[in-house]
Amino acid sequence: MSEASGPPTIYRETPQKKAIKELIGQKESQGNYNRLVGGKGTPKEAPLTEMSIGEVLKLQKSMEKNGHISTAVGKYQFINKTLKSIVEKNPRDFPLNEPFNEARQELAANILLERRGWEKFASGEMSDKQMATELAKEWASMPVPEDMKGNERDVKAGESFYAGDGKNKSGVAPETVLKTLNVMPGPSAATTLIDMPEAPLSSQQPVEGDPLAAAPEVPPQQQMPQEAPQAPVMAPQPMDQQMLASIIQGKGMMNV
């Protein structure tokens, strides 16, 4: 669909797209926009939807510096490398001083689907198995639909593309993914993603250089890995109990 016929495709939703995003979100974070990757001694949640994008990026860098097993955050478990690339390539929609709210997390997921060829799939140029494979490469909780060469080793249908790395495994059967992908597409419609009141999309200027440069500093005592996919982590990892203290102060901590 061309932009001339309506908003760009990343701002548009269909029942088909919503269905697969809900499946991914449930398997990655149980649908929780404030979810941290978790682990022994680590908070399971933080007020991510109230934090600025710059604060979230800084939090992820501190997680990395502290040797945590992952930097995955939010409903779709965006790791630092992925979120940073979204911010750099879409500065108008992801200003560093605006919140990493529900709308922006949904928009970020749309961007990842677009990168993986969603429009080709929706138009019939890509098969459901090909799309399922692309999803498995983006989100480790999604299974490969057939036997193939994975990131670490040969994997069988139903396994994570990243199986063998000691921390990732799929959370759903391939048949469920394929069935979800084959929900009737329905009409494509613009959503509230295009009208986020916190930051008028037409007024933002591109961010030059490293997006972390303009983000607020995080004290060393808070500093909490950057790894491959958006993945649920299976192995627990100890961490400093003081992590997130000053960022969360005044914002209100979620259940820990």
Side-chain angles (χ1 to χ4, degrees):
M1 180 177 298
S2 68
E3 292 189 21
S5 62
T9 53
I10 60 170
Y11 300 116
R12 303 179 73 87
E13 302 277 36
T14 63
Q16 189 179 35
K17 186 187 287 187
K18 288 181 179 179
I20 197 64
K21 283 168 64 182
E22 281 307 303
L23 178 63
I24 295 168
Q26 282 297 318
K27 298 307 175 182
E28 289 290 327
S29 68
Q30 296 183 317
N32 188 345
Y33 291 100
N34 291 303
R35 183 67 186 239
L36 296 181
V37 73
K40 185 177 180 180
T42 304
K44 293 182 179 180
E45 299 181 11
L48 300 173
T49 56
E50 299 175 31
M51 294 167 64
S52 72
I53 294 168
E55 286 177 320
V56 173
L57 289 168
K58 280 291 188 181
L59 169 61
Q60 289 180 309
K61 293 302 289 184
S62 69
M63 293 164 71
E64 183 180 309
K65 288 178 182 178
N66 271 320
H68 193 41
I69 198 167
S70 176
T71 59
V73 299
K75 179 178 177 179
Y76 299 100
Q77 292 292 276
F78 304 100
I79 61 170
N80 179 253
K81 181 179 179 181
T82 299
L83 182 56
K84 184 177 177 181
S85 74
I86 290 172
V87 171
E88 289 176 336
K89 295 177 181 179
N90 303 273
R92 189 183 69 168
D93 295 348
F94 294 88
L96 292 172
N97 62 340
E98 293 295 333
F100 190 53
N101 57 17
E102 292 88 344
R104 286 195 175 86
Q105 291 190 37
E106 293 296 334
L107 181 56
N110 284 2
I111 289 171
L112 295 184
L113 287 177
E114 192 88 359
R115 289 182 183 180
R116 290 294 176 179
W118 181 265
E119 289 309 310
K120 288 185 177 180
F121 166 67
S123 66
E125 298 176 57
M126 179 186 288
S127 72
D128 55 0
K129 283 191 175 181
Q130 288 175 315
M131 189 71 247
T133 299
E134 291 301 312
L135 295 177
K137 290 178 179 179
E138 189 67 52
W139 286 283
S141 66
M142 295 291 101
V144 297
E146 53 192 1
D147 296 358
M148 65 179 62
K149 175 67 177 177
N151 192 61
E152 301 289 331
R153 59 169 172 79
D154 290 339
V155 294
K156 296 184 178 298
E159 288 190 291
S160 170
F161 183 79
Y162 299 93
D165 65 359
K167 55 189 176 183
N168 291 312
K169 69 178 182 179
S170 68
V172 62
E175 295 76 18
T176 300
V177 176
L178 295 175
K179 182 178 180 180
T180 304
L181 284 172
N182 284 292
V183 167
M184 291 300 291
S188 182
T191 73
T192 54
L193 298 179
I194 199 171
D195 295 313
M196 291 183 289
E198 299 87 349
L201 300 185
S202 61
S203 64
Q204 296 297 326
Q205 298 299 317
V207 176
E208 297 182 0
D210 187 348
L212 297 181
E217 291 293 329
V218 176
Q221 66 268 26
Q222 297 172 23
Q223 301 183 0
M224 294 172 75
Q226 188 163 303
E227 30 82 75
Q230 281 57 260
V233 174
M234 308 311 298
Q237 183 83 1
M239 178 173 284
D240 184 358
Q241 296 291 330
Q242 299 299 316
M243 193 267 298
L244 292 177
S246 67
I247 289 181
I248 292 173
Q249 184 178 14
K251 295 180 183 289
M253 186 64 186
M254 306 294 289
N255 294 329
V256 174

